[in-house]
Amino acid sequence: MDYKQAGVDIEAGNEVVRRIRTLARGTFTAGVLSEIGSFGGLFRLDAAHITDPVLVASADGVGTKLRIAFLTGIHRTIGIDLVNHCVNDILVQGAEPLFFLDYLATGRLNPDVAVEIVEGLSTACRENGCALLGGETAEMPGFYADGEYDVAGFIVGAVGRDRVIDGRAIRPGDALIGLPSSGLHTNGYSLARQIAFDVAGLTVDSPIPQLGVTIGKALLEPHRSYLPVIRPVLSSGLIKGMAHITGGGITDNLPRVLPEGMSAAIDRSMWDVPPIFQWLQRTGGVPDDDMLRTFNMGIGLIVACDGADADRLIGDLARAGEPAAGRIGRVVSGSKGVEYRAG
């Protein structure tokens, strides 16, 4: 026997590297010193514009949203999801991305699928000013079913030590400003899939009149990056803390940035819940508490600022390209957590 008979096609792996090299090069910034295919990516940190630079790193995956990609045969959006999720995770601490690494594991490597994923990665990296510095493609026969794969992303960014945003300055009375999500982002898909495909008996091509698209397209809507609208307002110094609303929803993510002895009072009447979440709740009969702890419910990022600065910050966000940002609550004294109010 040889390696190919055992299920690993070395030539397919080499083909993927050849085809993605140009995609990755298109994301390279001035700091990149190495080529795709090296054992390690080389990056020179130019910190001339950053006082006492601090590196900020994060890693994440896409979760069971991958199942929607398998069913639809659309894989490009998965790469966009992965990059933007990671960008947001370091953005909440004030960091801007420097470079990104990816890991793709599959049972049998399909070069076309792998390249489509990397096309999404490279698109999102370019849009975020982040270099796709390298990655790993692993062919693992017998470990993944044919046609299936898993992906993970790793990001490194930088922020000046005096510009780190950690929430420690948050005080009772501060305003909480919500920025809209673009859909489910990359969370809650185990529940969403069960509702759509098991409870409702749909296929990915089934149209949902309330949404104006098929359920597959609605569920594949990419995770948005908040860097383009947050970057222009970072220097104002108005932002005290930020929470990326991912798995656990507002309920579990917002308290992560609150100091001890402080809680959040969220007014659910301050934003319109997008139709996709309304459809999921109605179709699945999901209780409110579960919806709020599973999905972002239309709010993908929450920014905390002094109450007196809220209107100014909302105006700055609008000028930066986010006209839908608005107050959704405030910080109050109490045990760390979230209290939902209606009006």
Side-chain angles (χ1 to χ4, degrees):
M1 290 188 68
D2 58 23
Y3 211 11
K4 188 171 184 178
Q5 288 174 307
V8 178
D9 190 340
I10 295 175
E11 282 308 311
N14 290 338
E15 181 187 349
V16 169
V17 173
R18 285 193 295 269
R19 292 171 64 179
I20 68 175
R21 184 172 281 116
T22 300
L23 294 171
R25 273 204 200 102
T27 72
F28 283 2
T29 60
V32 178
L33 302 179
S34 55
E35 275 286 348
I36 294 295
S38 302
F39 286 101
L42 301 177
F43 191 92
R44 177 182 177 273
L45 176 61
D46 180 2
H49 64 293
I50 303 177
T51 303
D52 194 7
V54 174
L55 296 180
V56 184
S58 186
D60 220 310
V62 178
T64 61
K65 188 173 186 176
L66 292 173
R67 182 67 60 184
I68 312 300
F70 302 158
L71 292 171
T72 61
I74 299 171
H75 306 279
R76 187 175 181 275
T77 58
I78 291 302
I80 297 172
D81 287 323
L82 191 59
V83 173
N84 288 348
H85 188 133
C86 289
V87 166
N88 293 337
D89 276 350
I90 64 170
L91 175 64
V92 298
Q93 292 169 290
E96 296 190 31
L98 297 172
F99 59 84
F100 185 87
L101 304 167
D102 72 279
Y103 173 75
L104 167 64
T106 186
R108 185 178 302 277
L109 185 61
N110 182 326
D112 291 337
V113 171
V115 170
E116 190 176 341
I117 295 169
V118 177
E119 285 176 347
L121 294 172
S122 61
T123 295
C125 280
R126 285 195 306 272
E127 291 175 349
N128 287 289
C130 178
L132 180 56
L133 191 61
E136 165 70 358
T137 300
E139 193 169 20
M140 303 165 64
F143 208 82
Y144 295 92
D146 280 351
E148 297 188 358
Y149 57 82
D150 197 10
V151 291
F154 312 87
I155 196 165
V156 174
V159 60
R161 189 166 183 174
D162 62 339
R163 296 292 183 94
V164 171
I165 299 172
D166 56 16
R168 282 187 290 184
I170 293 175
R171 295 292 181 267
D174 284 350
L176 297 172
I177 298 170
L179 279 68
S181 67
S182 54
L184 273 67
H185 284 182
T186 52
N187 301 102
Y189 278 83
S190 294
L191 178 57
R193 288 187 301 108
Q194 188 170 40
I195 293 170
F197 306 130
D198 297 340
V199 175
L202 303 179
T203 68
V204 289
D205 296 323
S206 298
I208 306 297
Q210 304 95 308
L211 307 182
V213 294
T214 64
I215 188 63
K217 186 171 183 180
L219 293 178
L220 276 182
E221 184 66 32
H223 195 137
R224 68 171 290 197
S225 168
Y226 292 96
L227 179 63
V229 297
I230 292 295
R231 178 193 278 136
V233 304
L234 282 174
S235 61
S236 69
L238 299 180
I239 296 176
K240 293 185 175 184
M242 288 186 280
H244 185 200
I245 309 305
T246 57
I250 295 174
T251 303
D252 286 349
N253 284 287
L254 184 52
R256 295 168 65 180
V257 300
L258 297 176
E260 291 297 329
M262 293 178 214
S263 183
I266 298 294
D267 184 348
R268 292 187 59 190
S269 69
M270 296 301 289
W271 79 93
D272 294 325
V273 175
I276 180 63
F277 300 107
Q278 298 177 32
W279 183 87
L280 287 168
Q281 182 170 21
R282 183 172 59 253
T283 305
V286 185
D288 280 351
D289 288 348
D290 284 297
M291 289 294 296
L292 290 163
R293 201 171 187 183
T294 304
F295 303 110
N296 64 60
M297 298 299 283
I299 298 294
L301 188 78
I302 296 178
V303 178
C305 70
D306 190 284
D309 294 329
D311 289 341
R312 175 184 166 191
L313 183 55
I314 290 170
D316 289 346
L317 287 167
R319 284 184 285 276
E322 184 46 84
R327 293 181 191 237
I328 63 168
R330 60 192 178 90
V331 178
V332 297
S333 298
S335 299
K336 190 182 289 192
V338 176
E339 177 186 350
Y340 294 99
R341 303 173 183 175

